[in-house]
Amino acid sequence: MSSYAEIGHLAGYRLYTDPQTLTVMRVFDDESQAQKYVLQTAQFMELLDNVEEYMRQQRNVKTKEEDYRLLAKQRGIEHDLAVWSGK
């Protein structure tokens, strides 16, 4: 994973990217599983934007409602990865 850079720590896992190959690696916190996704350029850019927005929201969570919105944002990211990879 030397060419990968961490872009975000979401609930339960971290996301790493390799911009050279447009590859995303999702590694669970307990390191029991890693999933690899190869994206198209537009998908990769959308993922980066979504993770950046997630990280910004994560810093400002103060209520349970904000926490639920953050979880919904994470589920959206996971859904996009699944759709884009055909899984």
Side-chain angles (χ1 to χ4, degrees), residues 49-61:
D49 289 343
N50 288 340
V51 171
E52 180 181 6
E53 184 179 330
Y54 175 92
M55 299 305 289
R56 190 173 32 254
Q57 277 183 272
Q58 188 180 46
R59 289 189 291 269
N60 297 318
V61 170

Side-chain angles (χ1 to χ4, degrees), residues 2 15 19 29 47 59 66 72-73 80:
S2 62
L15 287 176
D29 286 343
L47 175 71
R59 289 189 291 269
E66 290 171 337
K73 181 74 172 171
D80 287 346

Side-chain angles (χ1 to χ4, degrees), residues 1-10 12-39 44 47-48 51 55 77 81:
M1 280 191 20
S2 62
S3 62
Y4 286 85
E6 183 176 331
I7 62 166
H9 185 192
L10 289 73
Y13 59 87
R14 296 177 185 273
L15 287 176
Y16 298 88
T17 62
D18 179 357
Q20 298 285 346
T21 62
L22 301 177
T23 303
V24 176
M25 182 85 66
R26 182 166 83 159
V27 179
F28 290 87
D29 286 343
D30 63 1
E31 298 183 5
S32 65
Q33 187 178 10
Q35 297 170 327
K36 192 175 190 178
Y37 306 92
V38 179
L39 305 178
F44 189 81
L47 175 71
L48 292 178
V51 171
M55 299 305 289
I77 291 169
L81 285 171

